[in-house]
Amino acid sequence: MAGLFILGFVSSLESRASLEVVVFTHFITIGFLSMTMLGAMFQMLPVTAGVTLKHQQIIAPLVHGLLSSGLLIFAYAFYNYQSTLMSVALVMLLSAFLVFIVATALTLKNAKNVTPTIKAFIGALTSLLIALLLAGYLTLSHANTSLSEHHQAILYTHIVFSLLGWVSMLIIGVSYQVIPMFYVAESYPNFYTKYAIKVIFALLVSLGFALFIKNNQLYLLLKVFAALMLADYAVTTISLLLNRKRKITDTTTYYWYFAMSMLLAAVVVSLANEWLHISQLNTLAVVIFIYGFAMSVITGMMYKIVPFLVWFHLTNEGFINMPTMNELIGKKTTTVQFALHIVALLSLATLIFDSSFQMAAGMAIVLSNALLLFNLIKGSRIYFTKQGLEKMNF
């Protein structure tokens, strides 16, 4: 849908504040990133905390339904600037996230072992809550057409807690678990498992404070520290993967390397713009972060986790001669999709500077994510159909 929206309505990404760009951004951040991240937490809570979210058969479809319908109303409301529908969308989206946050918080109270991943989840959910409150204020400001003098500070703080808080902390927390487990790599250094989330959260709060008091020097200093933290995380992750014990390389490994490289690129571009003052570079940094870093990690992890869940559950049900996790999707189609993903990112980056790339960017996003959808369906259909599985076990 984000790709189709680009094709029909977004001629340029130059202005990050334009309504079209706001809608496109939320198609990605809510429609792709958040839905997948919430789904991953449903699955990872039992693994990392030994607790299962109560009534998840009710909560999961409720949250997903509210997010899906709320996002569509949000997109229509902002593109047509209809204040009543903005409020409706706000209520639906806030309800979806708050139901999940409250349910998860109540579940985590019963966790016997608070692992580094759980600490990262708590930091991510706290950041999400702050981002939601700020988003509520911003949406109501648009609905009432009354933007306060602190509107820019609130907007930037919302972006900071959404991307550096909610998205980054959750990815960092998940990587603590999946890098050693799936890639037979060493664990992250003690600094990350013990202190990194606390340091990042403190930096986010301080960045928000610096924005509100309009202290540019303090903001720049804190931004450099935050950038160095993220850069060090990226380098550490690449190092762990390069020195992993299991040297077999698949598409998910490519995605991790690419994601960490894009995180480094986003940091460099964002810091460079503090001295160059080119407005498009801010947008470029956000595009690289969202599409290059966050989407890459999540896509790579879906290719690893979906086949694993299929294999795990069917094996537990007594099916013996199951295809391997790699066979369920196949390396060829995932590699093609990875290439299309890179093309989509390059096209989006170019669209910031040249509106003639509208068709290329839109089509690349549509093709990349259509193939991703096909691959995920291919990898999971054996679980839902179970056709022929009985024959495989004779």
Side-chain angles (χ1 to χ4, degrees):
M1 289 189 70
L4 292 174
F5 188 76
I6 286 277
L7 283 172
F9 305 104
V10 185
S11 59
S12 174
L13 294 178
E14 181 177 354
S15 174
R16 204 169 56 185
S18 72
L19 295 178
E20 295 85 358
V21 175
V22 168
V23 171
F24 168 72
T25 302
H26 287 82
F27 268 132
I28 300 293
T29 55
I30 296 177
F32 185 92
L33 300 184
S34 289
M35 284 190 194
T36 315
M37 289 157 68
L38 295 182
M41 289 187 72
F42 276 114
Q43 179 61 35
M44 292 197 71
L45 284 176
V47 177
T48 58
V51 291
T52 301
L53 198 142
K54 292 182 180 179
H55 311 298
Q56 65 179 10
Q57 291 86 355
I58 299 172
I59 292 173
L62 174 64
V63 170
H64 184 253
L66 286 171
L67 278 180
S68 301
S69 51
L71 176 59
L72 293 176
I73 295 171
F74 173 90
Y76 182 85
F78 264 82
Y79 184 73
N80 294 283
Y81 215 78
Q82 296 195 5
S83 58
T84 302
L85 287 179
M86 286 181 189
S87 301
V88 172
L90 175 63
V91 170
M92 296 179 76
L93 292 173
L94 283 180
S95 298
F97 283 115
L98 289 175
V99 165
F100 181 83
I101 291 171
V102 171
T104 305
L106 292 174
T107 302
L108 287 175
K109 283 176 62 178
N110 301 317
K112 295 179 181 178
N113 183 24
V114 182
T115 64
T117 296
I118 293 301
K119 291 177 183 177
F121 285 178
I122 293 170
L125 288 172
T126 305
S127 297
L128 175 60
L129 181 59
I130 294 171
L132 288 173
L133 295 174
L134 296 173
Y137 175 86
L138 292 168
T139 304
L140 290 175
S141 296
H142 278 287
N144 298 324
T145 61
S146 58
L147 306 184
S148 73
E149 60 176 309
H150 297 295
H151 183 82
Q152 275 310 101
I154 294 171
L155 174 60
Y156 285 143
T157 307
H158 165 70
I159 294 171
V160 163
F161 275 96
S162 296
L163 300 185
L164 303 187
W166 163 233
V167 174
S168 291
M169 285 188 191
L170 193 64
I171 288 175
I172 290 171
V174 169
S175 67
Y176 292 161
Q177 192 80 23
V178 301
I179 295 295
M181 181 173 72
F182 283 129
Y183 300 99
V184 197
E186 296 292 331
S187 297
Y188 279 82
N190 285 339
F191 170 76
Y192 282 97
T193 55
K194 290 184 178 180
Y195 306 111
I197 298 302
K198 296 177 183 177
V199 172
I200 292 173
F201 189 80
L203 285 169
L204 299 184
V205 173
S206 302
L207 278 167
F209 175 74
L211 285 166
F212 272 91
I213 65 172
K214 298 180 180 179
N215 189 323
N216 291 332
Q217 290 181 327
L218 177 61
Y219 171 76
L220 179 58
L221 179 64
L222 293 166
K223 184 174 180 177
V224 169
F225 277 121
L228 291 174
M229 276 287 300
L230 292 175
D232 188 71
Y233 164 73
V235 171
T236 300
T237 303
I238 291 172
S239 176
L240 290 174
L241 287 170
L242 286 173
N243 294 293
R244 67 192 186 280
K245 296 175 183 177
R246 187 169 179 262
K247 294 293 185 180
I248 298 174
T249 300
D250 58 16
T251 310
T252 67
T253 317
Y254 302 148
Y255 263 115
W256 272 104
Y257 283 133
F258 183 70
M260 294 304 113
S261 301
M262 291 301 99
L263 179 56
L264 289 170
V267 164
V268 170
V269 171
S270 184
L271 286 180
N273 193 50
E274 294 297 333
W275 285 271
L276 297 174
H277 302 293
I278 301 172
S279 61
Q280 292 98 325
L281 290 184
N282 268 332
T283 307
L284 180 61
V286 172
V287 166
I288 293 173
F289 184 94
I290 293 175
Y291 211 96
F293 164 60
M295 277 191 71
S296 297
V297 168
I298 289 173
T299 302
M301 281 299 89
M302 285 197 286
Y303 281 149
K304 187 68 80 173
I305 292 171
V306 169
F308 171 76
L309 293 177
V310 171
W311 174 86
F312 177 78
H313 287 298
L314 288 179
T315 303
N316 280 347
E317 291 179 25
F319 296 104
I320 302 168
N321 299 322
M322 281 287 299
T324 65
M325 287 186 284
N326 287 332
E327 289 171 344
L328 283 171
I329 297 180
K331 188 173 181 179
K332 184 176 180 180
T333 54
T334 57
T335 303
V336 172
Q337 193 274 322
F338 175 62
L340 285 171
H341 177 76
I342 296 174
V343 172
L345 174 60
L346 292 173
S347 301
L348 274 175
T350 309
L351 185 59
I352 298 171
F353 304 93
D354 187 349
S355 60
S356 66
F357 274 78
Q358 179 183 4
M359 294 296 291
M363 286 304 299
I365 295 171
V366 169
L367 291 174
S368 172
N369 290 284
L371 185 53
L372 170 60
L373 178 60
F374 171 82
N375 288 340
L376 293 177
I377 292 172
K378 179 183 176 184
S380 59
R381 66 182 176 181
I382 193 173
Y383 176 77
F384 293 106
T385 62
K386 299 182 182 178
Q387 293 176 357
L389 280 176
E390 287 80 5
K391 295 180 181 178
M392 291 166 53
N393 289 280
F394 287 109

